[in-house]
Amino acid sequence: MRMQGILFSKEECDLLWNLQVADKWQTSNGYNPETGEASPNTKHQLRTECWIDINTPVDGERTFKDIVLSKVPWIKDDFNIGGTKLIQMDKGDFLHKHTDAGPTKRLARRQYTMIIQLSDPDEYTGGDFYLGDYRLPKDRGFCCLFDGGTQEHEVKKVLSGTRKSWITWMPKESLTIF
């Protein structure tokens, strides 16, 4: 299952990217189910990320959650997210094939994954997002919801520039399509 389209304007992408908190960026972590610990995992992924609160006002009146709900018809008004973050991938960064669900309570809620492409396609080379054999478009504002808990996906190595995106996860009950 995959639902997608260009749903966000350049201005909305900028509003979302501006939710970042300068001192909250960190190197991505990998979860090790054997130890129950999260630590930098440069063999599996390399990127920087910033966890954000989508209930933060973006323009004095609306929150980004308000904007998402006005644009994305397949999620419920009271959708329950399993974390939200901005991702920046620079030259050499990548994310190997994986699924998002896992053995912890938090990872078990990651049944569906939603991403928004925040950078223009000409801002970077490489960095293609694959969902199985399907390469997602790089269009700015492109949004895709998919079964990230079971469908393998990856981001190929960024060859130049900076790839920016937003990601969140949610359980099945947060979706209107079921």
Side-chain angles (χ1 to χ4, degrees), residues 21-154:
V21 179
D23 64 347
K24 298 290 184 182
W25 284 94
Q26 63 185 21
T27 301
S28 59
N29 290 326
Y31 174 75
N32 183 338
E34 293 176 13
T35 64
E37 296 176 354
S39 61
N41 183 352
T42 58
K43 291 183 179 178
H44 173 69
Q45 60 187 347
L46 187 59
R47 63 185 181 190
T48 52
E49 55 194 26
C50 179
W51 291 91
I52 60 168
D53 179 355
I54 65 168
N55 293 306
T56 303
V58 293
D59 62 6
E61 295 180 21
R62 300 175 299 165
T63 65
F64 197 75
K65 183 176 181 179
D66 296 331
I67 295 170
V68 168
L69 289 171
S70 72
K71 298 284 185 163
V72 183
W74 52 75
I75 59 174
K76 295 179 182 176
D77 288 352
D78 62 346
F79 76 99
N80 189 348
I81 58 174
T84 301
K85 60 185 166 181
L86 297 170
I87 297 174
Q88 178 174 310
M89 300 180 81
D90 296 310
K91 182 179 178 180
D93 290 354
F94 62 93
L95 180 60
H96 285 310
K97 284 184 184 179
H98 69 286
T99 58
D100 293 333
T104 66
K105 184 177 180 180
R106 180 178 182 167
L107 293 178
R109 296 181 46 69
R110 292 183 174 185
Q111 296 169 330
Y112 288 85
T113 304
M114 188 168 76
I115 61 165
I116 302 170
Q117 176 67 26
L118 300 178
S119 44
D120 284 316
D122 60 354
E123 293 177 7
Y124 66 99
T125 59
D128 292 316
F129 186 103
Y130 279 88
L131 182 56
D133 294 339
Y134 177 72
R135 183 178 59 82
L136 271 65
K138 290 184 173 183
D139 300 313
R140 189 172 194 184
F142 179 82
C143 180
C144 182
L145 172 79
F146 62 96
D147 182 355
T150 62
Q151 290 182 308
E152 282 194 337
H153 50 284
E154 67 182 314

